[in-house]
Amino acid sequence: FLFTQTLWCQTYLLFFQKPIAHADDPFGDKAIDDTTGLGIWCASLVMSRWVASPAVSKQLKDKSVVELGAGCGVPGLAAAAYSDAKSVSLTDLNPATMSNLRHNIDINGKQGGENWSTRVTAASIDWGDESTWPADKVDVVIGSDLIYQSSIVPLLRKVVTGLLGKQGTFLYVAPDTGRDGLPEFIAVMKGEGFHCEEEIIAPPSYCANPLKSGDEEDCFLHFHELASTTYILYTFCRSSCR
């Protein structure tokens, strides 16, 4: 896929996705078996538009950024391409997903400048294993549509809290309905240790056809939920940065 991520510039990003293995049960019995990251999900397209917007991209300047559950890496690569973030680490766990993620980083390297290979990296992170987490705290964590069952809520809260520095920010995008555990997660993130600085509906431009070709049939074939779903943009900040 050749995507245009923003309405503000004419830079394009390339992404390769693979058929999701075990489509009848892509989540698997263990986190490492989850193959959903082999495909590009609509929330990640919305997230990429958001992080590439002037309002957010300027906030990423000189910041360290980690994307959780990066999958094909659409939001993380948008953050790297359209901001002056100091570093961007795209993370996931499934081996096939990680291989494709590294490929997507590589094929966009020509547009990323001389320091792309050191500034933009991929890392395998198991949310439940702190030994796999980055050694240093980060400034910004981003994620899209990471909650699909309530059992994930404490795990995601733990890894977000564990990765962020004292002045850290968590940017999250999800559909407004249809995700088991999402209301619980939002409530937890609004609790002790964080405050919700912003909770807004994604503007229509974030849900527009992202394909460079502009082919509406192709867009509907692959991303039919993009234009018909309401997405919410959440900004959570550490309480210490108030």
Side-chain angles (χ1 to χ4, degrees), residues 102-120:
R102 292 187 177 96
H103 175 70
N104 285 338
I105 292 174
D106 290 343
I107 61 177
N108 286 287
K110 292 182 179 179
Q111 302 183 83
E114 295 180 358
N115 66 341
W116 182 263
S117 61
T118 55
R119 179 172 163 262
V120 187

Side-chain angles (χ1 to χ4, degrees), residues 112-172:
E114 295 180 358
N115 66 341
W116 182 263
S117 61
T118 55
R119 179 172 163 262
V120 187
T121 58
S124 181
I125 286 184
D126 184 340
W127 296 358
D129 182 357
E130 295 183 30
S131 69
T132 68
W133 298 1
D136 298 324
K137 301 293 186 181
V138 301
D139 300 309
V140 181
V141 171
I142 64 175
S144 56
D145 208 2
L146 300 177
I147 294 289
Y148 45 85
Q149 55 190 34
S150 57
S151 61
I152 299 176
V153 172
L155 197 57
L156 181 56
R157 161 75 186 215
K158 179 181 179 181
V159 70
V160 170
T161 303
L163 294 184
L164 282 175
K166 292 182 179 180
Q167 303 294 316
T169 299
F170 175 46
L171 304 177
Y172 189 64

Side-chain angles (χ1 to χ4, degrees), residues 13 51 60 65 74-85 87-90 111-112 116 119-121 142:
L13 295 174
V51 298
L60 301 182
V65 180
V74 181
L77 287 173
Y82 301 120
S83 81
D84 291 320
S87 64
V88 180
S89 178
L90 286 67
Q111 302 183 83
W116 182 263
R119 179 172 163 262
V120 187
T121 58
I142 64 175

Side-chain angles (χ1 to χ4, degrees), residues 173-235:
V173 171
D176 64 338
T177 60
R179 295 295 184 267
D180 181 39
L182 179 62
E184 292 89 338
F185 177 66
I186 299 304
V188 166
M189 289 302 298
K190 290 179 178 179
E192 184 178 354
F194 285 89
H195 73 279
C196 185
E197 188 172 276
E198 188 173 56
E199 180 178 346
I200 60 174
I201 295 174
S205 60
Y206 289 10
C207 302
N209 186 342
L211 301 177
K212 183 184 179 183
S213 66
D215 190 315
E216 293 297 339
E217 291 187 3
D218 203 18
C219 179
F220 182 81
L221 175 65
H222 295 284
F223 311 118
H224 63 277
E225 294 182 349
L226 185 58
S228 61
T229 302
T230 299
Y231 295 91
I232 309 298
L233 317 178
Y234 299 93
T235 301

